[in-house]
Amino acid sequence: MDRSVKIVLIAFAAGVILIVAGQSLYRYSNQSITDVETQLSQAGLSQSERDNLQGSLVWWRNAIVSTYGPTSIALVAAGIAVLSILTGYFS
């Protein structure tokens, strides 16, 4: 296999991996919020458990805004940029 073909295949794989990683990170954080909200809606929680879950929910929401959201956007954007560069390479 030619060296340039290997580079293109590696770049393509890297672009796809970046996009999948970004989407996975975003889905993980959203699923965590959904899980905590589901636990909060259960009956029979003590006040201590409810306070802990409420604190966890606040933490996850802040983490999405400050960390997980921007990181996932950056990963997806980097993956799209790599794939766009490859598209320009072939045209």
Side-chain angles (χ1 to χ4, degrees):
M1 194 181 310
D2 190 60
R3 179 176 164 84
S4 62
V5 172
K6 287 181 183 178
I7 292 172
V8 167
L9 289 175
I10 290 170
F12 178 78
V16 170
I17 288 170
L18 287 169
I19 291 171
V20 169
Q23 289 179 339
S24 298
L25 183 63
Y26 189 73
R27 286 183 182 194
Y28 169 75
S29 56
N30 278 336
Q31 186 60 46
S32 296
I33 286 177
T34 303
D35 291 345
V36 172
E37 287 173 340
T38 301
Q39 290 175 353
L40 270 172
S41 67
Q42 293 176 353
L45 292 174
S46 68
Q47 188 60 40
S48 173
E49 291 171 329
R50 185 169 299 284
D51 290 343
N52 288 339
L53 287 171
Q54 193 66 35
S56 177
L57 184 60
V58 168
W59 185 89
W60 272 109
R61 287 185 175 156
N62 289 333
I64 281 184
V65 171
S66 64
T67 305
Y68 291 106
T71 303
S72 63
I73 290 170
L75 288 170
V76 170
I80 291 171
V82 168
L83 296 179
S84 296
I85 291 169
L86 286 177
T87 302
Y89 179 75
F90 287 113
S91 56

